[in-house]
Amino acid sequence: MEAAPLSAPRYDDASVRRFITATVLWGIVGMLVGAILALQLAWAPANLGLPWTSFGRLRPLHTNAVIFAFTGNALFAGIYYSMQRLLKTRMWSDTLSSVHFWGWQAIIVLAAVTLPLGMTQGKEYAELIWPIDLLIAVVWLVFAANFFGTIAIRKVKHLYVALWFYMSMVITITVLHVVNNLALPATLTRSYPVYSGMTDALVQWWYGHNAVGFLLTTPILGLMYYFLPRAAQRPVFSYRLSIIHFWALVFLYIWAGPHHLLYSALPDWAQTVGMVFSLMLLAPSWGGMLNGLLTLRGAWDRLRTDPILKFWVAAITFYGMSTFEGPMMSIRAVNALSHFTDWTIAHVHAGALGWVGESVFAMLYYMAPQVWNRKLHSVSLATTHFWLATVGIVLYVVAMWTAGVTQGLMWRAFDEAGLLQYPNFVDTVRTLNPFYWIRLLGGLMYLGGIIVMAWNLYKTATSDSSNALEA
Amino acid sequence: MESNWHRNLLEHRSGLFAALTTVVISIGGLVEIAPMFSVPLDTTGITVPTPLEVAGRDIYVREGCYNCHSQMIRPMRAETVRYGEWSRANEYAYDRPFQLGSRRIGPDLMRVGGKYPDAWHYEHMRDPRSTSPGSIMPPYSWLLEDKVDVADIQASVNALRTLGHPYPADLDVGASMREQATAITGRLAESKITVDPDREIVAVIAYLQNLGVDGKKLYATAGSQ
Ligand code: HEM
Ligand code: HEM
């Protein structure tokens, strides 16, 4: 490896700091909206009788905010931080970095305005209207140019495993976004997809599943490969395993979309292919989980004192759990029960709050002190955050599993005369009420944890130079 | 080391790595999606949504009803008994965007057409708990006030026609909407509900009352028991 030039400023950490700040702020907004949704399901008057606060318009705001704003900014922060260090070079273009940051925030603000106004394409996770979609495409290509430009001028020839995962995200999201959003505008705010009916549904879930795969899963694995060995001060367990599980994961992932359309009017062969590939996906997913957990071998004693390692272990465990649950839910007989119920919501949030959220927190607690050059303000507050988040997740997920299975069973219950036991749908809704309150409690704890983190990071960033990591 | 080939071949060559990744992530989608375009749907018996129904559907999408309601009845006894005939692919032929949904916070709506009188829908949208005690659906009282803009729907019809919906070239969107809407407001008047035909609620009722009706006619004697 070449010696890095000592001339300051070597790396663009200003961009990293901005992306971190945006992550925390949008995280609070997005999860606050999640908590409002949770309240609306437990107590309907919280819809307030206004168009822009009704559940149907706010739910896409939550999903877009947590996926594109919270997770998106976190990914960019982690990628900008790690790729400069891995490649021993500054980001290719400061201008592009800046356009990328502000462009992405503009998209989020536009989303936050248009979605409550009811401007939507009506496809899950692809709700944003066509002018915003165009803007997304442009900003994403700016990011891609900066990403590949940085790789082109790299000072380290070898591409470390984290970068493979990042690269797969940059490429796949481009393809998914363009293909799924092909639409004919009718007005400035409304368009119709070029596909109709089941074709539209298949394209959408090819997109939907892989947007999850290539925003909430593969790039986070990349971040894990960079940040976990540093936090654990241990090398990655197995380089060979990382090669195998990377290629298997990116190949298999794409095929699994139809598990969102089981028992639908999609051709049977496509449903079966989706189910089989989802089952196979278990292997590379657990490959990643094992490579993560085994990287911690010999560092387990530090788990007691280091909140960053706590976050990593919990995150990877939730990853293992949701990637076991997911393939199970792809089995037709299981999906027959789980589909349409809160079981899906439990699965989503075990992945999202557990794997995505806790990985992001682990990364932020490691990275923020580095880029602000200050010791973390309070380790014990970070530990508090860990417990708030983890207990919050358990409450959320257990409540939603119970609610999902309960309602699923009620929908299919027949009495002795062969009639539906609960013919009135509302009866099955009433049963869920206590679980919705428990979920709200779990969600508020999780949100509370993030607010604690925001304070901790703020104090870290603004403390004086006597707390510097290095002079 | 055994994996040297990977390092030498790929990890030192970003262009090749990116190209290979692109190939690997493209295969699954191509294999699954491409065949969907090769089999044309049989649309015999499936009517094209009228302009008023298009307006109603746009409102359904705008309000995000799909966040709580599915339009997909699965071929299982528990579903066909509760909701009616299971869903066939050609019934969705004119669905842009598709609205199958992934959640049932409320019941499936695939075959809600004709299940309730127009007046029930009017009251239910105004205040869901007045017709369905215990429901957690939000009220949509603004639909009773807000007006549908004919020019707006003309734009929708034009776009849909370009995409292949067979609307006659001389279709008078305004007249068609007025005619269908006054039929609905007439029925509402019989239930002592007075509402102007240009209100959004009327379009929503037109849309809901048409849901699954064609399929019911086509498949009524088939699967369900
Ligand atoms: C305080 C934390 C959170 C709370 C209280 C919360 C609450 C909710 C609620 C109430 C829903 C609607 C559920 C339903 O349809 O019945 C929802 C949906 C969803 N949330 Fe969250 N959420 C939180 C955090 C997150 C995070 C961090 C992510 C992702 C990174 C996320 C991703 C999603 C997704 C993808 C859906 C849609 C699921 C589907 O369509 O099946 N949420 N959330
Ligand atoms: C091997 C890995 C996985 C498989 C095979 C898988 C499979 C599934 C299945 C079968 C569903 C339910 C579809 C339905 O009935 O509607 C689902 C929903 C979902 N999963 Fe996973 N899952 C996996 C991992 C994950 C992870 C790690 C996350 C999050 C970080 C995640 C996020 C989601 C989301 C957001 C949905 C809801 C989609 C929607 O209906 O809107 N999944 N997944």
Side-chain angles (χ1 to χ4, degrees):
Chain A
M1 276 184 219
E2 294 171 49
L6 290 171
S7 59
R10 199 171 56 168
Y11 297 140
D12 171 16
D13 280 345
S15 291
V16 180
R17 287 192 291 269
R18 282 192 260 176
F19 278 121
I20 292 178
T21 310
T23 304
V24 176
L25 292 179
W26 292 125
I28 293 175
V29 174
M31 301 204 208
L32 183 65
V33 179
I36 294 171
L37 297 178
L39 177 66
Q40 291 176 335
L41 291 180
W43 186 63
N47 283 288
L48 303 179
L50 298 169
W52 33 88
T53 52
S54 69
F55 183 89
R57 293 192 187 186
L58 281 190
R59 192 182 189 272
L61 182 63
H62 166 61
T63 54
N64 279 277
V66 289
I67 296 175
F68 299 109
F70 169 67
T71 313
N73 276 305
L75 295 175
F76 299 142
I79 290 172
Y80 273 62
Y81 179 90
S82 60
M83 87 179 290
Q84 298 186 80
R85 283 159 175 84
L86 284 169
L87 302 176
K88 299 238 177 316
T89 181
R90 196 182 169 86
M91 289 305 289
W92 179 49
S93 156
D94 285 357
T95 314
L96 289 188
S97 301
S98 190
V99 173
H100 175 202
F101 176 80
W102 289 111
W104 197 254
Q105 311 316 312
I107 291 164
I108 297 167
V109 171
L110 287 171
V113 173
T114 52
L115 290 173
L117 288 176
M119 297 171 183
T120 172
Q121 297 193 124
K123 305 219 282 184
E124 267 185 272
Y125 319 129
E127 285 90 353
L128 299 178
I129 52 176
W130 67 268
I132 307 182
D133 282 340
L134 287 178
L135 186 59
I136 293 176
V138 170
V139 175
W140 192 262
L141 290 180
V142 165
F143 166 51
N146 210 9
F147 180 85
F148 284 109
T150 308
I151 288 182
I153 58 161
R154 69 190 188 274
K155 306 223 172 57
V156 175
K157 196 170 176 205
H158 163 233
L159 297 174
Y160 178 69
V161 46
L163 293 159
W164 318 343
F165 283 95
Y166 304 162
M167 201 191 278
S168 74
M169 165 182 95
V170 176
I171 294 170
T172 312
I173 294 297
T174 312
V175 177
L176 295 173
H177 177 74
V178 172
V179 175
N180 188 43
N181 285 303
L182 288 179
L184 182 67
T187 67
L188 185 62
T189 59
R190 180 154 11 98
S191 61
Y192 296 97
V194 297
Y195 325 96
S196 80
M198 290 313 297
T199 308
D200 193 32
L202 181 60
V203 172
Q204 155 64 22
W205 282 117
W206 162 81
Y207 163 88
H209 173 73
N210 292 300
V212 167
F214 288 85
L215 283 173
L216 304 183
T217 305
T218 37
I220 310 263
L221 282 167
L223 296 176
M224 176 188 90
Y225 274 112
Y226 180 84
F227 288 98
L228 177 66
R230 275 158 189 79
Q233 292 158 358
R234 293 281 181 289
V236 167
F237 170 68
S238 164
Y239 166 64
R240 275 187 66 202
L241 181 56
S242 62
I243 295 176
I244 298 168
H245 101 91
F246 170 77
W247 288 107
L249 194 74
V250 296
F251 174 69
L252 296 177
Y253 232 112
I254 299 292
W255 295 77
H259 68 219
H260 292 270
L261 294 168
L262 297 178
Y263 291 106
S264 74
L266 193 70
D268 273 342
W269 68 267
Q271 297 188 29
T272 306
V273 170
M275 169 176 131
V276 170
F277 275 80
S278 303
L279 284 166
M280 292 195 282
L281 206 45
L282 177 61
S285 302
W286 277 37
M289 170 188 75
L290 290 175
N291 223 1
L293 287 180
L294 291 174
T295 296
L296 289 160
R297 76 204 178 286
W300 289 102
D301 54 312
R302 291 192 21 237
L303 208 61
R304 257 178 294 131
T305 48
D306 185 351
I308 296 180
L309 286 187
K310 280 194 177 71
F311 272 120
W312 275 122
V313 170
I316 298 170
T317 307
F318 278 116
Y319 178 65
M321 213 183 67
S322 38
T323 55
F324 177 76
E325 183 187 34
M328 293 308 114
M329 293 168 75
S330 309
I331 300 173
R332 278 162 155 264
V334 178
N335 195 266
L337 179 67
S338 71
H339 190 58
F340 291 137
T341 73
D342 280 305
W343 186 344
T344 306
I345 304 304
H347 166 71
V348 170
H349 289 86
L353 303 178
W355 163 242
V356 179
E358 299 208 297
S359 297
V360 168
F361 305 146
M363 176 183 86
L364 292 181
Y365 283 119
Y366 174 86
M367 196 164 61
Q370 304 291 328
V371 292
W372 270 284
N373 190 22
R374 292 288 180 272
K375 289 194 205 81
L376 184 65
H377 168 67
S378 163
V379 173
S380 69
L381 278 183
T383 307
T384 308
H385 176 195
F386 171 77
W387 288 113
L388 279 172
T390 305
V391 176
I393 299 170
V394 172
L395 285 176
Y396 189 125
V397 171
V398 173
M400 288 302 97
W401 270 329
T402 321
V405 175
T406 305
Q407 195 181 28
L409 291 176
M410 288 175 87
W411 285 343
R412 54 159 72 167
F414 285 97
D415 62 18
E416 274 131 47
L419 299 172
L420 286 172
Q421 203 173 335
Y422 306 96
N424 188 355
F425 189 91
V426 170
D427 289 342
T428 74
V429 177
R430 281 207 181 92
T431 319
L432 307 182
N433 189 265
F435 303 113
Y436 282 159
W437 285 110
I438 298 172
R439 184 255 303 273
L440 175 61
L441 178 66
L444 287 175
M445 288 179 70
Y446 196 87
L447 179 61
I450 296 190
I451 294 170
V452 170
M453 175 180 78
W455 167 255
N456 202 357
L457 295 186
Y458 171 76
K459 293 299 280 182
T460 304
T462 54
S463 69
D464 62 45
S465 55
S466 63
N467 286 318
L469 291 175
E470 55 195 65
Chain B
M1 195 203 247
E2 279 174 74
S3 310
N4 263 343
W5 63 268
H6 191 269
R7 174 151 305 182
N8 297 334
L9 186 68
L10 289 169
E11 292 171 36
H12 290 175
R13 297 185 206 175
S14 54
L16 188 60
F17 202 112
L20 189 61
T21 306
T22 311
V23 171
V24 166
I25 61 113
S26 301
I27 299 170
L30 283 173
V31 172
E32 287 177 349
I33 298 171
M36 295 294 283
F37 296 96
S38 63
V39 212
L41 281 179
D42 178 7
T43 50
T44 328
I46 307 295
T47 48
V48 191
T50 65
L52 192 65
E53 289 156 15
V54 168
R57 191 170 203 280
D58 285 346
I59 297 167
Y60 185 94
V61 172
R62 180 188 77 196
E63 298 303 338
C65 308
Y66 68 89
N67 285 292
C68 292
H69 294 282
S70 56
Q71 292 188 20
M72 169 181 143
I73 305 173
R74 297 178 290 177
M76 305 166 188
R77 182 161 160 261
E79 303 244 324
T80 52
V81 171
R82 186 182 294 276
Y83 301 118
E85 264 306 310
W86 48 281
S87 310
R88 312 301 207 280
N90 61 348
E91 297 186 67
Y92 300 118
Y94 300 113
D95 274 17
R96 288 177 206 267
F98 82 104
Q99 292 286 286
L100 271 67
S102 63
R103 272 293 272 133
R104 273 187 197 152
I105 295 174
D108 188 275
L109 299 180
M110 180 86 197
R111 305 230 180 271
V112 82
K115 188 174 173 192
Y116 304 101
D118 292 351
W120 186 92
H121 284 299
Y122 183 94
E123 290 303 333
H124 180 246
M125 296 307 291
R126 186 184 59 79
D127 175 13
R129 275 159 292 286
S130 70
T131 54
S132 317
S135 168
I136 57 174
M137 177 165 143
Y140 289 91
S141 48
W142 57 91
L143 302 181
L144 279 49
E145 312 293 331
D146 295 350
K147 291 181 189 167
V148 177
D149 176 8
V150 176
D152 203 40
I153 304 310
Q154 179 76 58
S156 293
V157 168
N158 292 346
L160 290 169
R161 184 192 279 124
T162 310
L163 289 170
H165 292 209
Y167 292 112
D170 59 352
L171 175 70
D172 184 338
V173 169
S176 156
M177 288 171 71
R178 231 171 296 119
E179 190 188 340
Q180 196 180 358
T182 41
I184 293 172
T185 51
R187 284 197 295 276
L188 288 173
E190 289 165 23
S191 309
K192 311 242 172 338
I193 295 171
T194 9
V195 55
D196 290 338
D198 59 354
R199 300 302 146 127
E200 289 187 338
I201 184 71
V202 181
V204 171
I205 293 176
Y207 171 64
L208 292 174
Q209 293 293 31
N210 188 46
L211 273 180
V213 172
D214 293 333
K216 211 188 289 184
K217 278 188 212 132
L218 284 173
Y219 302 113
T221 51
S224 90
Q225 50 90 56

